[in-house]
Amino acid sequence: MELKLRNEVVNGLIDIVGVDAVISDKSELVVYECDAYTMQKNLPSAVVLPGSIDEVVRVVLLCKEFNLPIIPRGAGTSLSGAGLAIDGGVMIALTRMNKILEVDPRNRRALVESGCVNAWVTREASPYGLFFAPDPSSQSACTIGGNIATNSGGPHTLKNGVTTNHILGYEMILPDGSIEWFGVEPDGGEDVEGYDLRGAAIGSEGMFGVVTRALVRLVKTPAYFKTFLAVFDSVDQASCTVSDIIAEGIVPGALEMMDQVITRALEQAYKVGFPTDAGAVLIIELDGLTGGVEQQASQVELICKRNKAREVRLAKDDSERNALWKCRKRAFGAVGRLSPNYVTQDGVVPRSKVPEIMRFIGIVSEKYNLCIPNVFHAGDGNIHPLILFDERNPDQVKKALLAGNDILTKCVELGGSVTGEHGIGAEKIDFMSKQFTEDDLEAMKKLRTVFDPDQRCNPHKMFPGSKRCSEFIVKKQASA
Amino acid sequence: MLIKPDSILKLQQLMVDADKIDQVDLSNINQLVEHVPEDMTATVQTGMLVEDFQKKLLRGSQWLPIDPPNPKEITIGDLLSANLSGARRFGYGSIRDWVLGMVVVLPDGKLVRNGGKVVKNVAGFDLCRLLIGAQNTLGIIVEVTFKLLPRPEMEVNLFKQFQELSQAEENLEKIWHSDLQPVVLDLYRIKSQETTMVVSFAGPIADVETQAAELISMGFKSGISLGYDAAFRSKSCYSQSVLPSKLMSSLSGLGDMDFVARAGNGVYYVRENLFKNRAEISSVFGLEQRLKMEFDPLNKLPKLQLK
């Protein structure tokens, strides 16, 4: 952006939010050049940290006046580059709007600002025996607004459902500056007249507007848990166990798999007693009422044994259970010890196809001579192969991309999807045309047009043919 | 006009040709596409009757846990387009929570797929949620994939009658704040002075028996069917939705009118339309009009009716 214009925009932003809430210095902007997907980097023209809904509206109106892209951002934990400022533009980071406004235990809901951290909601709700169900691994950092943008999942969404099942309503500032409330109103009943705009805009990856407040559903904390660590000699045995549990009609609270590379890395980092010689482990958590959980626990143990589990360990108490989950959620981090770089895939297959896709990943790993450890939501069929590479080695970078491509293509072939919870973002644009026809994509674009006719909100994401390096024509209206 | 296509292709053709379509009869597009018990999913054409679909799922001892009134008469398409639900809504949510993907014929005749067949999927925008409850005003859903549940091992319905609403409220609050996990939590008063509370439990036998015992100790009895819901709602009736905590005061305000209430959801049904003119207050009306214009610019399909 030309300097004079940039200064004008920055001064306009400072007028709205104050000088300490605008970042425009290049050295500071670097923090915002990417999110947790680090394969691509783009500098925003400016970052603004509004402190109120009114400030968000005024910032959005300023962007409209200057015809600038708006990039909404939560905590920047996206794994698909959903928060990249591909064409520059004004990044609206909501991290200062992070309050929990109200917890209403009687009606099992909470009203929060969109920058509120996911885990805080459960922390505030737990004294009432309630929790917010979506629990992405980044939950100690990621925001509710980001969860709405990507329709986030997490280990416990197997039984409880994903974000769209737990967001009652929310406020969105559209790119034209209008303030809308979609879905259930803070004091309203759960049936809402008209089209389900709440549902239509969840998972829209920040391309429809800026979410400022959300009304979330709280769920009763289960009365009883039983959490197992089942140890297997091979990934195949663990995969077959997963398929068998689901086929038996058991829906555990969570059903996660970690293979040997992951358990070794975790054991090195945290020393929790994972067997480092096992091919794979499953974390199987059953929750509910005592009788039913006990009944399912014996079924699950039987299925594990039938698949030749070496050992089925029961977490003795809450602290053992918490330790297991802490490890699971730190798995991506521990992989940092193994390799300078990695790229995470997020494919989904029908649950009965888990063994098949795991075998396929093994073949891909051999084909490209790359280490591809796995830690994933096995019960949902949502795989997360971590493709390890060294970005200093161009051949490895190429192979890592090819390996990811092979795996996701296979997921689609098996009747699945290229993303279960991370989103398309900037990363998986090319896969959209493998999974959808031109007409399917056109219909999605119609929806976007309704919310953002100028395609100014988080541009160049999701759709094939997005002008990835093109320029937005910056025009300042002469009369303004 | 009313159209009754004998295939999806024919429907596409009719959508292109017609100027105005008031109603679509999909009873010829009614096949089960697949039921994969080991994935707990099923794909069905939307002309199939809800009851017929549930019967097919029995093969894998599974079901779609949504129980609209009159499943013998309504199709999967009706269930989706009107966003119907029944007494078990408290336990299982509504149909939007069970849809994984769908195939839709748009007013321009194009066949569009959204979502998929897997239980977790965030590729692309969510047209599924948009089209549920959209009353066939943006497109016609012709095929849908559902997430399913195993049929519960056991289900027990219990009831208790109260002379005064306040006594019912006391029991309701006690259940609400307990560890009990009812799938039905209803109140109704039909042609009677008394208010009946209905509580159902479903799941593993051990859980159902323990929970039922707890309610029996509160004076509940077994031996009631959930048929009151369909019986009341099959005649013309109107619904209202309030905060669950405000349900009791709303019901008190009804005087001696008949009602059926989803106490856990804060939703109640009455015979008279007490809630006229609500349409006026919809704040997102502009967006809804834009949606209609975008998907159905020629207004071939009906307009959205506000209840």
Side-chain angles (χ1 to χ4, degrees), chain A residues 141-163:
Chain A
C142 69
T143 65
I144 297 295
N147 295 162
I148 291 173
T150 47
N151 192 13
S152 303
H156 289 88
T157 52
L158 173 58
K159 185 172 182 178
N160 293 312
V162 295
T163 299

Side-chain angles (χ1 to χ4, degrees), chain B residues 156-207:
Chain B
V156 169
N157 308 320
L158 300 126
F159 73 102
K160 186 175 173 181
Q161 290 181 318
F162 302 92
Q163 292 297 331
E164 302 289 336
L165 264 179
S166 60
Q167 299 164 322
E169 184 169 15
E170 219 170 276
N171 279 260
L172 180 67
E173 291 300 312
K174 195 171 167 191
I175 292 167
W176 189 260
H177 291 104
S178 70
D179 278 337
L180 296 169
Q181 297 182 336
V183 291
V184 177
L185 187 51
D186 269 7
L187 281 169
Y188 71 81
R189 184 175 60 208
I190 302 171
K191 292 181 190 159
S192 154
Q193 297 294 313
E194 296 185 320
T195 300
T196 303
M197 185 184 298
V198 181
V199 182
S200 306
F201 299 108
I205 294 169
D207 288 349

Side-chain angles (χ1 to χ4, degrees), chain A residues 106-109 164-165 180 189-191 193 195-196 220 249 292 295 352 382 417 419 421 440 450, chain B residues 39 89 96-97 113 120-122 137 150 153 173 176 178 180 207 241 243-245 265 284 288 290 307:
Chain A
R106 173 58 183 85
N107 293 301
R108 295 182 191 157
R109 34 171 95 167
T164 194
N165 309 112
E180 303 284 2
E190 62 177 52
D191 281 348
E193 290 273 6
Y195 295 122
D196 184 3
K220 258 170 127 176
Q295 185 181 325
S352 56
N382 187 187
S417 172
T419 177
E421 52 185 18
D440 298 344
V450 170
Chain B
D39 288 333
R89 173 173 167 177
R96 81 188 285 288
D97 298 314
R113 199 173 280 276
K120 232 163 134 191
N121 183 4
V122 296
T137 61
E153 266 178 30
E173 291 300 312
W176 189 260
S178 70
L180 296 169
D207 288 349
S241 163
L243 266 180
S245 61
N265 300 87
V284 283
E288 306 207 327
R290 263 146 70 183
K307 282 166 212 157

